[in-house]
Amino acid sequence: MVDPTSDLEEDVDEESAPTCATCTEPALGTDRRTVTWVDGDDAVHRHFCSQACRDGWTDERPSAGG
């Protein structure tokens, strides 16, 4: 099933997929993770190809202190 609120529909290929913020591989498939936060008037997104890359990310959100 395609999530109608997602930019990553089933037909997204590696060339048009977002890049993993940790390893720079395409963030595709069911293991993909996304972190989103609001910075002023902007929504900021970081995409990850797996939970391992998400766990290895140096959190840059203002609330994370980093």
Side-chain angles (χ1 to χ4, degrees):
M1 179 176 145
V2 174
D3 178 352
T5 63
S6 175
D7 290 339
L8 298 180
E9 298 176 3
E10 290 177 356
D11 60 349
V12 173
D13 59 18
E14 288 188 15
E15 293 171 1
S16 60
T19 302
C20 177
T22 303
C23 73
T24 70
E25 292 294 318
L28 286 170
T30 59
D31 293 334
R32 160 180 73 84
R33 301 289 182 262
T34 304
V35 174
T36 304
W37 68 96
V38 175
D39 184 9
D41 292 334
D42 299 319
V44 181
H45 309 278
R46 294 296 177 263
H47 301 275
F48 305 93
C49 63
S50 67
Q51 184 63 45
C53 279
R54 165 60 180 97
D55 292 343
W57 174 57
T58 302
D59 198 331
E60 64 195 81
R61 294 174 291 179
S63 63

